[in-house]
Each structure stands twice: as C-alpha cells, then as structure tokens.
Amino acid sequence: MSLSMPSAPNGGLFKQGYQNYESEDGAVIRNIEACRAIAQTVQTSLGPYGRNKIVINHLQKMILTSDAASILRELDVVHPAAKLIVMASQQQEAEMGDATNLVIVLCGEMLKKAEELLRMGLKTSDVVQGFERAQKEALRCLDQLVVDSVKDLRSHPELAKAIRTVIASKQSGSEEFLADMVAEAVLAVLPKQPVNFNVDNIRVVKIMGGSLEQSKVVKGMVFGREPDGSIKKAKNAKVGVFSCPIDTSQTETKGTVLLHNAKEMMDFTKGEESQLETIIKELHDSGLRVVVAGSTVGELALHYLNRFGILVVKVLSKFELRRLCRVVGATPLARLGAPMPDEMGKVDVVETLEIGGDRVTVFRQENDATRTATLVIRGATQNHLDDIERAIDDGVNVVKAITRDPKLVPGAGATEMQLIERISAFGERTPELSQYAIKKYAEAFEVIPRTLAESAGLDATEVLATLYAAHHKASSNKKDQDDDDEDEDEDDEPDWTMGVDVENEDGSGTLDAKEEGILDLLVSKQWAIRLATEAARTVLSVDQIIVARQAGGPKPPGGQNPDWDED
C-alpha cells in the first residue's frame, strides 16, 4: 500500500486557497525587496531639494508633495512587510510630526545592508543581534553630538532657529519667513507652563491668491467667511453654540391647512413669527450677543437676530465647531433655546477683517489658557497652499518636541557622518560575527548625506570623500586629545560638524552645519533611529508569511462587478 504524500507545503493543513511563503523560498529576501522599493519611492523626496511626487488617490484627488507621511497616507500599500515600515513612519509622524522620510530611507538602507550580510552567509539572528547592539551605541553617541539647545522658549530668535531647518526641508527658500511666522504664532499662544503647549491652538487658513509674502499671523481663530447678519463686531460677548438649525422646526408629518380668507393667512404666518421671535428674545435676554450656528440659519430667524443686535456666524465643519467651543468655553447645544449659564461661552473680541479681497471672521481671546493663533497663508495654487500647510504643521510639532527636550544636533548629514565614524569604531572593538552587522549598520547612515548631495545635483562620491576625510580627522584628533589628556582651545579642534552644502556656495559641496545654523532636533533623530531599526529588525525576523484566502466568493476576472450591466 503506497503512502500518498501531500503535494504542496502544509497540504491538507489549511483550507484551500491559503498561500504560504517560507524562508527557503527566499521570503526574507522578497520582504527586503518590497521594503526597499517603498524606500526608493520616497528617497528622492529627502531634503531641501527633494523632488515632489504627484499622487492621485482612489477619489481622483491630486496630491502634490515631497512629504513622505502624506505620500504614504495616500498610497494603499498591501505588502505585509512594506506595511511594517509604513507603520513605523506613521508612528514617527504621531510622536514627532517630522523626520518621517528619515525613518523609511534609513530602514530601507539597513535592510539593503542586511541582505548583503545574508548573502555572505550570516544567520538572521546574528544580523538582528548586531543591529540591536549598534542601535544602543548610535543612541549613546547621539547624546554626545549635541552642539546647541533652545535656551529660552519665549525668545523669538531662539525658537525660529530650531524651526528653520525643519521648514527648509519642505519649503526651501521660504524657511526664514515661515519660521518667523510660526515662532510668532507659537509665542502668541504659549502658556505659562510650556509643557502644556497644545499644537491644536495654532490653526492654518488658506486663502487663494496673492503671494506667500502676504501671509500673516492673526491672533485668534479665523473662519473664512463673514457673519451672516448685519452685525459684524462684538466685544466681551457671551457666545452660544448651536449644532441644530436656527429656524422654525419642520413637522414630521405633512398636513393640509385650508385658508378661507386673507385674515386667516396673516394669522397663520403670525403664529410662526411670534414663536421664532420669542425664542430669539430668550437668547437676547439670557445675555447672548454672539450665536454660532453649526447648521442652516433661516431668513426669518436672521431678521430677528439682526433686530436684537446678535451677531450670527455659520461654522459648517463639526471639527472647527468643536475647537471653537474649546476656545470660548461653550457647550454645543442640539436644541434651540436660551442656554444655561454654564453652557454659554465668552469671547473678548469678534471682528470682521478683509484679507486679499476675502472677508473673514476672527474670534480673539486675550485669556492665556484659551488663546489661539491662526496663520493666514496666501498662494497661487491649492496644491502649493497644502504643501505650505504641511511645512507649518511640521514646524509647530517641532515646538511641541522642544518642550520635552531642547537639545539640537548638527544637520545637513553631519550627525549621520559622525555616527558612521563612531559606530564603525565600535564595530572594530566588538568580537564575534556581530561586528559585521554593526559595521553594515553604520554604513546605512551614509544614505542621508549621499541623497542630499544627489538631489542638489552635486557629485555625491566627491562630497562623501571630503566628508569622510573631515570626520575621520576630527575623530582621530579627539582620540589623540583624550590620550594626551590635554586641554586645547575649541578653535584648534577640527570641526566634526561638516555637512552637505546643497546650495554649493563655495564650490566644495560641504559646509559647517553649526556655523550655518542648520540644526536638527535631537529627540526626533533618536525616535527616527529607534523606529527605523525596530522596523528593520522586525522585517528580518520574519521567516514565513501565511496569507489566508480573501473572504467572500471567487472574484470575477479583471476585478469587474458581475452585477454591473455592460454597455
């Protein structure tokens, strides 16, 4: 009697339709290739001269940006391993709001180096273990590379110094102007305890037309429409927020009314009018002078609101309505009628301003806790305005990060070059097979200065050779200095803050990042290295992918819906 062997791996173990990819079939290598493909997609968008991508999403909306988080949000990545590094990037966006591209590019390069090691014959466990040790060393070295810090959060120049580099990576050329605007807006809303700074207190309103230089900071919450009634201004007023329509209520059932003469007709509409007048008079008597409607405002209601001198403005976005409630301290009401004293809010000034032909309504609070600031940005196209908004959002998130840790490290690839030098030296001192993984981990950081040089149109090989020479010399001198234990002047010590000069002003392609004021936040670099290494190690430790069959019946060929009628 012959024994029947299952033809497929795990045959008879899972239901029909399962797919199984094992490490013997090259599952790890295929995972690495998928992750590298996504890293190469966003790699060209790194840095001030990073290229833009046009992404047309499933709703046919066009997004034009060089922001990695926005690109990946719109791309529907289905490969399970590639999803892991996308999730790491999203985590960086949630934690820091910046350096999302760094996470993906670094992770992609680490996996590329890991693939070389696997092809050399190293086991995955050796690579993972080496990467773990190298990460600890990288984070330890990073703390020693601090060159500056934000000493006073309430100082405009100090704050702008930290924001400038972040905005320059998205909006090169406009970083000075935008950094000053963001710093001004942040200082307008910064509470007594900077740790309590809320990024939601800084809003952005985009108004088409004009140029970026016509943008300005307005202290308060700005809505891109003017009040509906004839009252346009109010001071020290009580505010009522209604999420229901301000109009006569419609009956649920339809009825027919037979009118015999003109008097009956007059009396019929008079009842409705007097009912609405009573409600609006109630609002006026309770002390309300500003009404915010989250839905429609009827014509008759508007007439009575004008008669009682109540300012009314429509805010149709429920998110904006919620924010306004927090700013004025009101409770949104789902019923029309006089609010209770604790449901009413208070606003110091409501006024209408004209910005570039568009009239806007500003709610301004002088109070410290509920102050808001709005950056009104101008630009020629909607895509450009969206991109500026993303750059401003990154700048504001950096301020939140500064409240946790104000330390700054040199940018322009200088920190990465120094990490290569220090982690490679650590690898040399490490015994066993881990040293190969540690050295390859160090080499992965080279991708940052190389990409910066390539996107700026420089000869990457030449620039990297210059940087390697400068950093190696700096490390050697530091070592000699430690051995001799002599105190030298700072001027005599060679600078290890050399980075890539994307503008190539002196022709060498390199500059002193510290002198030029190109500074990155230490805490966002730490998070990026941590998340990139974690994602790389997770991808490498996967040796099998089991894909279940999709739910539902068999899919029709070509993805067509069988119920659709053919033309």
Side-chain angles (χ1 to χ4, degrees):
M1 183 180 152
S2 62
L3 183 69
S4 63
M5 293 290 289
S7 56
N10 299 324
L13 177 62
F14 300 124
K15 269 187 180 178
Q16 198 179 355
Y18 266 78
Q19 290 171 296
N20 185 34
Y21 306 99
E22 296 206 29
S23 53
E24 285 75 24
D25 310 332
V28 176
I29 302 295
R30 279 211 297 275
N31 287 349
I32 290 172
E33 281 168 5
C35 295
R36 280 181 58 197
I38 206 151
Q40 282 164 357
T41 306
V42 295
Q43 187 172 329
T44 51
S45 297
L46 185 75
Y49 287 110
R51 306 289 178 264
N52 285 333
K53 310 280 180 198
I54 292 180
V55 182
I56 296 167
N57 66 8
H58 61 290
L59 299 171
Q60 299 301 299
K61 185 188 174 191
M62 186 178 89
I63 293 100
L64 187 143
T65 181
S66 63
D67 182 41
S70 304
I71 295 165
L72 293 171
R73 201 179 298 121
E74 298 303 333
L75 293 175
D76 205 5
V77 179
V78 292
H79 194 285
K83 264 187 179 172
L84 287 170
I85 68 169
V86 172
M87 283 154 67
S89 161
Q90 287 168 347
Q91 189 58 37
Q92 176 76 4
E93 173 78 357
E95 280 293 335
M96 291 289 118
D98 181 41
T100 47
N101 207 337
L102 179 64
V103 173
I104 290 175
V105 173
L106 205 51
C107 185
E109 194 69 11
M110 283 175 189
L111 290 170
K112 180 185 172 183
K113 299 295 179 190
E115 186 184 347
E116 292 171 17
L117 291 168
L118 294 174
R119 291 191 190 281
M120 277 166 56
L122 259 76
K123 295 281 184 286
T124 314
S125 55
D126 294 327
V127 179
V128 170
Q129 196 180 350
F131 275 17
E132 190 174 351
R133 292 175 76 174
Q135 179 200 337
K136 285 178 184 167
E137 178 64 15
L139 294 174
R140 192 185 68 78
C141 292
L142 208 56
D143 283 329
Q144 299 168 2
L145 302 180
V146 176
V147 291
D148 203 348
S149 68
V150 180
K151 295 167 187 71
D152 181 13
L153 257 179
R154 299 192 184 277
S155 160
H156 190 287
E158 283 282 305
L159 209 52
K161 170 180 76 178
I163 299 168
R164 193 179 298 115
T165 311
V166 176
I167 292 178
S169 66
K170 302 277 188 302
Q171 290 291 321
S172 181
S174 312
E175 66 269 16
E176 294 284 344
F177 177 73
L178 286 171
D180 283 342
M181 271 180 66
V182 173
E184 185 187 335
V186 168
L187 290 173
V189 301
L190 201 63
K192 286 188 176 73
Q193 293 291 329
V195 183
N196 300 331
F197 169 68
N198 186 353
V199 292
D200 218 27
N201 285 349
I202 293 179
R203 312 297 313 145
V204 174
V205 168
K206 297 168 283 190
I207 296 179
M208 288 267 283
S211 67
L212 183 61
E213 283 67 38
Q214 290 171 310
S215 306
K216 61 176 180 178
V217 177
V218 177
K219 289 174 185 173
M221 201 164 176
V222 176
F223 298 101
R225 58 184 300 155
E226 60 178 325
D228 290 48
S230 57
I231 314 297
K232 305 288 184 191
K233 196 167 184 180
K235 278 190 177 181
N236 295 326
K238 286 185 179 174
V239 185
V241 180
F242 296 94
S243 56
C244 60
I246 300 178
D247 202 356
T248 49
S249 54
Q250 301 289 325
T251 52
E252 285 182 20
T253 54
K254 286 186 178 179
T256 307
V257 178
L258 196 62
L259 301 170
H260 295 93
N261 51 41
K263 187 177 183 302
E264 282 183 12
M265 188 176 175
M266 292 287 284
D267 291 345
F268 177 72
T269 54
K270 204 171 277 179
E272 202 174 62
E273 285 175 25
S274 61
Q275 184 190 0
L276 201 55
E277 186 180 5
T278 309
I279 291 169
I280 304 295
K281 190 173 186 305
E282 266 181 39
L283 296 180
H284 179 266
D285 292 346
S286 67
L288 282 187
R289 292 297 173 267
V290 176
V291 166
V292 180
S295 191
T296 54
V297 179
E299 299 233 337
L300 191 60
L302 197 60
H303 162 72
Y304 285 118
L305 286 163
N306 286 340
R307 219 170 89 181
F308 284 104
I310 298 173
L311 183 145
V312 59
V313 64
K314 269 196 283 193
V315 177
L316 298 178
S317 160
K318 63 180 180 191
F319 300 108
E320 292 291 326
L321 202 68
R322 208 175 292 154
R323 283 190 193 102
L324 184 65
C325 286
R326 200 184 68 235
V327 169
V328 299
T331 307
L333 300 171
R335 53 170 176 80
L336 193 58
M340 303 293 286
D342 58 334
E343 293 173 332
M344 287 192 274
K346 190 175 180 302
V347 67
D348 294 338
V349 180
V350 181
E351 58 188 351
T352 309
L353 302 176
E354 189 167 335
I355 298 172
D358 289 18
R359 293 182 76 76
V360 296
T361 307
V362 181
F363 281 73
R364 195 163 72 239
Q365 292 282 46
E366 310 298 339
N367 181 16
D368 192 47
T370 55
R371 280 190 306 199
T372 52
T374 305
L375 290 104
V376 179
I377 53 174
R378 314 294 312 283
T381 64
Q382 191 61 44
N383 284 316
H384 182 51
L385 288 174
D386 290 344
D387 220 21
I388 293 168
E389 183 183 10
R390 289 185 199 104
I392 288 171
D393 192 44
D394 282 4
V396 174
N397 277 301
V398 160
V399 177
K400 180 69 181 168
I402 289 169
T403 60
R404 293 191 225 168
D405 189 347
K407 297 192 193 81
L408 300 168
V409 292
T415 301
E416 283 77 9
M417 288 303 299
Q418 193 60 25
L419 284 174
I420 295 171
E421 197 67 42
R422 296 189 182 199
I423 297 168
S424 298
F426 172 69
E428 292 287 351
R429 300 192 301 271
T430 308
E432 298 171 6
L433 288 171
S434 295
Q435 66 169 287
Y436 293 105
I438 292 169
K439 285 181 189 173
K440 286 289 183 189
Y441 181 95
E443 283 174 32
F445 284 97
E446 190 191 287
V447 71
I448 305 300
R450 190 185 337 113
T451 307
L452 288 174
E454 282 171 1
S455 63
L458 304 170
D459 184 343
T461 313
E462 195 180 313
V463 171
L464 279 171
T466 312
L467 289 175
Y468 269 120
H471 283 262
H472 185 67
K473 188 181 171 191
S475 296
S476 305
N477 283 30
K478 187 178 186 299
K479 193 180 174 190
D480 294 344
Q481 190 182 326
D482 290 345
D483 292 344
D484 299 342
D485 201 24
E486 292 174 359
D487 292 330
E488 292 183 21
D489 294 334
E490 279 190 20
D491 297 337
D492 299 341
E493 191 183 314
D495 232 344
W496 51 264
T497 55
M498 293 292 282
V500 181
D501 182 5
V502 289
E503 289 172 2
N504 200 18
E505 287 174 349
D506 60 356
S508 68
T510 58
L511 51 67
D512 190 324
K514 184 183 174 186
E515 279 180 17
E516 296 294 328
I518 303 169
L519 302 166
D520 288 335
L521 206 62
L522 170 73
V523 69
S524 65
K525 274 260 198 290
Q526 283 175 334
W527 270 99
I529 290 171
R530 211 174 275 138
L531 289 166
T533 313
E534 199 63 51
R537 279 169 44 209
T538 308
V539 170
L540 288 170
S541 4
V542 172
D543 76 329
Q544 194 173 6
I545 299 177
I546 304 165
V547 184
R549 189 175 64 181
Q550 282 193 333
K555 298 287 180 282
Q560 290 286 319
N561 190 326
D563 297 336
W564 287 353
D565 295 328
E566 291 185 9
D567 293 334

